[in-house]
Amino acid sequence: GPAKMEPGLPKNYLMGVFRHFAKTKVAPDVYPVLKEIMDKFFDRLAEDLEAYALHAKRKTIEVEDVELLLKRQGHVNDKVPVEVLIEKYLPMEYRKLLIPIATSGNVVIPKQRR
Amino acid sequence: MSVDTDAAQQRLKAAVHFTVGRMCHSLGEDHRRTFSRQVIAAIAETTFRQCDIFAKDLEAFARHAKRSTVSSEDVKLAARRSTALSIFIQNKIEELKNQEQRDLKKKNTGKRKSRDTEEDSRE
C-alpha cells in the first residue's frame, strides 16, 4: 500500500542541509533531535503566520506575513532586505518566482509586489 | 546626527533613567534590597534599547494591518510570545477600555475619577 506520509522534511534532505551549514561530519543520532527541533520550529512558524494574517484581517497567509516573520526573527533588518536572503539561499527557479526578472522582450515577471 | 536630536536623545535617556531609578527604589524597598547606581544605569540603557525594538516592531505591525496609527492590537501582537505578559497586557487593555467607557459616561467627574482608579491599581 502507499507509504504513510509523515509530515516534515525528508531525512536525507534535512541532514544534507544541516551538514552543509555545519561544515562538518554529522553523526546519525543528530537526526531525531534535529527532527524534533524542526517540528517545534514549524509549529511555532504556523502559529506566528496565523497571528500575522489574522492581524491584517485575512484568512490567507501571504508573502508579507512571511516577510514580517523574518523581520521579527531578526533575519531581515535595516541592513539585510528580504531580497538578499532570497538571492543567498534560494535556487534560481525560486528566485525567479519571488524577485522580478526581465525576460526577452523586456517583460518583467512577476509583477512587482505592492 | 545633529546636535538637536542628540540633545533630545540625551533628555529622553535621562527621563528613562529617572523613572527606572524611582521604580528600582520602590522595588528595593519592598524587598529590602538596594540597587547600585551601575545596575540602575544598565537597566535604564536596556529599557531604552528595548523601546527602540518595540517601536520598530509596533510600526511594522501597524503597517502590516495597513494602519499608520499603532493600536492596542499591535501591542497585543508584540506581547504574544510570552504567555504571562500576554495575559497581563490583555487584562490591562480591557481595564483601560472599561475605564474609558466609564469616563465617557461621567464626563464632568471623569478626570478626577480616572486619577483615583489609577492610584488604586498602583497599590
Side-chain angles (χ1 to χ4, degrees), chain A residues 100-110:
Chain A
I101 287 176
T103 56
S104 63
N106 208 18
V107 184
V108 177
I109 51 156

Side-chain angles (χ1 to χ4, degrees), chain B residues 1 12 15 21 29 32-33 39 46 65 72-73 79-80 87 99 115 122:
Chain B
M1 199 182 275
L12 262 178
E29 273 184 345
R32 293 184 187 175
R33 299 276 195 285
V39 167
T46 311
S72 58
E73 289 300 310
R80 204 176 57 92
I87 291 167
Q99 196 179 305
R115 204 170 297 155
R122 213 178 297 154

